[in-house]
Amino acid sequence: MQRIMVCVYSLLAMVLLYSDSVDVDASGLLEKAPVSDTCPQVRMKPAGQCKDEEECPYQITLPPLTIQLPKQFRMLEKTMKELQNLKETVRQLRSICLECREQADMGLHKDSTETSDKGRGDVHTRGPGNDSSGIAIRDIQVKMSRMATSLKNARGQINTMQGRLDELSHQSLGKMEAMVISKVENITSVISRLNNTCSSQCPVLASPAHIRVPSDCSDYQVMGQRKNGVYQITPDPKNGTFQVFCDMESYGGGWTMVQQRINGSLNFNRSWTDYKKGFGDVHGEFWLGNDRIHLLTKTRDMVLRIELEDFDGVREYAKYDMFYVANEFLKYRLSVSGYSGTAGDALHFSKSFNHDQKFFTTPDKDNDMYPSGNCGNYYGSGWWFDACMSANLNGKYYHKKYKGKRDGIFWSTWHNMTSEYYPTNYRQAFKTVKMMIRPKNYAP
Ligand SMILES: [Ca+2]
């Protein structure tokens, strides 16, 4: 741009300088104009006839103008446009706001004068736009007004409460202190009086009864239960609770049944696992299970009572003051002693046939003292076999006397056993068998 201006000015200066010496033809047209070498694109020539020498129309031809602008200029332009748009938006918003304020003022005025139904109808029929904005602003203003009122009220209440609190704290502390001192004095006096009385007259109070879950049937008996039936017991809380049949009526009651045979409905020729876990129905025939018998007998010193009845109606019993069954690791070893009763001590029949301190054997697990075979398998029973037995209360249930292998329920000291074999060759059968236990120190 500067360059072009320089050219134009220098051209004009030359025109002035050379005007006196310029040859002008008759037509008045300038033949050739002196041109600066530095401005090749610039042309100046007469345009039309001169009226006189002083007044000649000239024409200057300038080169096309190209201006290189900085890169940021485009951005500047855009920014300017955006600014313009923003300015326009602001103007519009300002105008809308002014309208809104006017409408809000009008609306507030309407609210106080018009019915609510009409106002509600207006809201529903109005479309979006300035009207809805006005309503929203009006609602906000109403809410703000209400909140301001609430705040004012709350502040008032707080002030009132603060005042009362100050009053109370000032006035009541003294009274409270006096009251507490008075109460403490009263209590001290009462305690002192009681101490004086008790030291001479009051009996020593028994410690409160220890409340515990029943660990066997005798606990239920102590608690006043007097009926035979199934009860939940927990000999060892770590090993859970299970159901047992309790004989609460016979021989002082409180008996936990561990085995019962009454009709032969249950097969006792079973595996180690069956005897371990127990089988049958506690209401009828069953084996309580070696694990449970162990838990019961380890928790308390137990007495064992065996009840037997044959098909002739003969009833006898054997009682042992000590009965303990070890755990599975010790193969449920039997500890039994202290016999009394009428059925005879078949568990300690002789040195050769003695069930005390014998391991439990089942048809599938030979822990017996018989080296040549499995007594449990031979007699079809799980029992504390020696080599093999003078008693087996888990033998086969025969409904009458039987012949052959003595694999039935067996009690070697039964009253007629010496005449069992000769001359009839029949073996004794038992109608009912019961094994039950109760704590040794239990007093019915
Ligand atoms: Ca054996």
Side-chain angles (χ1 to χ4, degrees):
M1 178 74 92
Q2 276 179 337
R3 192 180 167 203
I4 288 163
M5 289 306 286
V6 166
C7 288
V8 170
Y9 283 128
S10 60
L11 198 65
L12 285 170
M14 279 190 289
V15 166
L16 291 172
L17 282 169
Y18 289 96
S19 57
D20 290 341
S21 61
V22 167
D23 294 329
V24 180
D25 63 5
S27 62
L29 288 172
L30 194 69
E31 283 296 323
K32 195 173 183 178
V35 175
S36 166
D37 289 342
T38 52
C39 304
Q41 301 291 319
V42 181
R43 299 273 189 279
M44 190 168 75
K45 59 182 180 183
Q49 284 188 325
C50 298
K51 288 181 180 175
D52 53 50
E53 285 192 355
E54 300 299 322
E55 293 180 4
C56 284
Y58 272 82
Q59 179 183 302
I60 295 174
T61 304
L62 294 170
L65 187 65
T66 304
I67 301 169
Q68 194 68 36
L69 293 171
K71 289 175 185 174
Q72 289 82 1
F73 190 80
R74 176 73 182 152
M75 279 175 68
L76 196 69
E77 190 188 3
K78 279 175 82 176
T79 310
M80 286 301 285
K81 272 186 182 171
E82 283 173 13
L83 201 65
Q84 198 61 36
N85 289 342
L86 278 170
K87 204 180 265 182
E88 179 60 21
T89 310
V90 167
R91 193 193 59 76
Q92 283 175 3
L93 280 170
R94 187 178 287 167
S95 115
I96 288 167
C97 272
L98 279 170
E99 285 174 26
C100 287
R101 188 178 290 172
E102 283 166 11
Q103 283 178 9
D105 291 345
M106 281 168 69
L108 278 173
H109 181 65
K110 272 185 184 176
D111 270 357
S112 60
T113 54
E114 288 180 1
T115 62
S116 61
D117 284 345
K118 192 174 178 186
R120 198 174 279 272
D122 288 344
V123 170
H124 281 299
T125 50
R126 276 175 190 162
N130 291 351
D131 285 353
S132 59
S133 305
I135 289 161
I137 287 169
R138 191 184 68 193
D139 286 349
I140 288 164
Q141 281 180 337
V142 169
K143 279 178 187 171
M144 280 182 71
S145 166
R146 281 176 192 159
M147 281 171 74
T149 312
S150 298
L151 204 64
K152 201 175 170 185
N153 290 342
R155 191 178 291 165
Q157 284 176 1
I158 287 166
N159 285 338
T160 311
M161 285 171 78
Q162 184 69 45
R164 286 183 63 189
L165 197 67
D166 289 348
E167 197 180 325
L168 278 171
S169 61
H170 283 123
Q171 290 181 0
S172 302
L173 267 176
K175 283 183 188 174
M176 289 275 284
E177 198 176 349
M179 197 175 75
V180 168
I181 289 167
S182 157
K183 292 267 180 196
V184 168
E185 277 173 356
N186 284 346
I187 289 164
T188 312
S189 151
V190 168
I191 288 168
S192 167
R193 211 161 56 232
L194 280 171
N195 277 344
N196 292 338
T197 320
C198 283
S199 59
S200 54
Q201 293 171 11
C202 291
V204 176
L205 288 171
S207 59
H210 182 60
I211 299 163
R212 46 173 289 177
V213 289
S215 70
D216 60 56
C217 294
S218 71
D219 285 342
Y220 280 106
Q221 185 86 6
V222 170
M223 286 159 64
Q225 297 284 353
R226 294 289 182 272
K227 283 193 168 181
N228 289 352
V230 176
Y231 293 83
Q232 293 270 355
I233 62 165
T234 311
D236 179 5
K238 286 179 289 184
N239 287 282
T241 298
F242 53 90
Q243 286 192 329
V244 290
F245 190 89
C246 296
D247 187 334
M248 303 298 218
E249 298 165 12
S250 309
Y251 327 110
W255 295 101
T256 303
M257 306 284 292
V258 299
Q259 187 253 36
Q260 183 161 257
R261 317 288 299 270
I262 51 174
N263 53 25
S265 61
L266 188 64
N267 177 23
F268 274 65
N269 186 356
R270 287 174 179 264
S271 67
W272 180 266
T273 306
D274 281 356
Y275 273 98
K276 168 188 165 70
K277 293 181 179 300
F279 53 87
D281 178 3
V282 291
H283 288 97
E285 298 205 317
F286 67 90
W287 179 256
L288 185 60
N290 289 341
D291 281 340
R292 289 171 175 179
I293 298 171
H294 164 68
L295 288 176
L296 281 161
T297 58
K298 87 164 186 181
T299 306
R300 289 170 166 178
D301 290 339
M302 287 290 187
V303 168
L304 171 68
R305 186 179 175 104
I306 296 166
E307 291 283 322
L308 291 163
E309 182 183 358
D310 64 19
F311 285 99
D312 299 324
V314 177
R315 290 183 179 185
E316 290 179 327
Y317 77 95
K319 189 180 165 193
Y320 293 89
D321 280 346
M322 201 279 281
F323 173 67
Y324 171 71
V325 174
N327 61 21
E328 187 177 20
F329 181 75
L330 294 171
K331 303 169 191 169
Y332 303 118
R333 186 178 60 205
L334 172 69
S335 297
V336 63
S337 62
Y339 167 81
S340 64
T342 59
D345 185 5
L347 292 178
H348 309 88
F349 184 79
S350 66
K351 280 192 175 178
S352 306
F353 295 101
N354 181 359
H355 293 277
D356 183 36
Q357 300 304 315
K358 299 303 181 295
F359 301 117
F360 203 83
T361 288
T362 52
D364 60 335
K365 190 154 283 192
D366 184 352
N367 297 316
D368 61 33
M369 305 303 287
Y370 183 65
S372 307
N374 181 341
C375 301
N377 187 38
Y378 183 78
Y379 289 108
S381 160
W383 193 250
W384 298 277
F385 284 106
D386 189 4
C388 280
M389 59 167 199
S390 53
N392 175 18
L393 299 182
N394 290 337
K396 190 174 178 181
Y397 188 98
Y398 285 99
H399 292 266
K400 56 184 181 181
K401 290 184 179 178
Y402 62 98
K403 287 186 177 178
K405 184 164 71 174
R406 189 163 31 215
D407 60 354
I409 297 165
F410 180 53
W411 194 256
S412 62
T413 52
W414 197 246
H415 68 95
N416 61 356
M417 206 55 75
T418 48
S419 61
E420 177 198 75
Y421 198 71
Y422 300 104
T424 63
N425 209 23
Y426 277 100
R427 303 192 185 280
Q428 181 66 45
F430 291 88
K431 185 184 175 186
T432 62
V433 181
K434 290 178 183 184
M435 295 174 68
M436 48 183 131
I437 58 174
R438 187 170 74 183
K440 188 178 182 179
N441 60 3
Y442 174 77

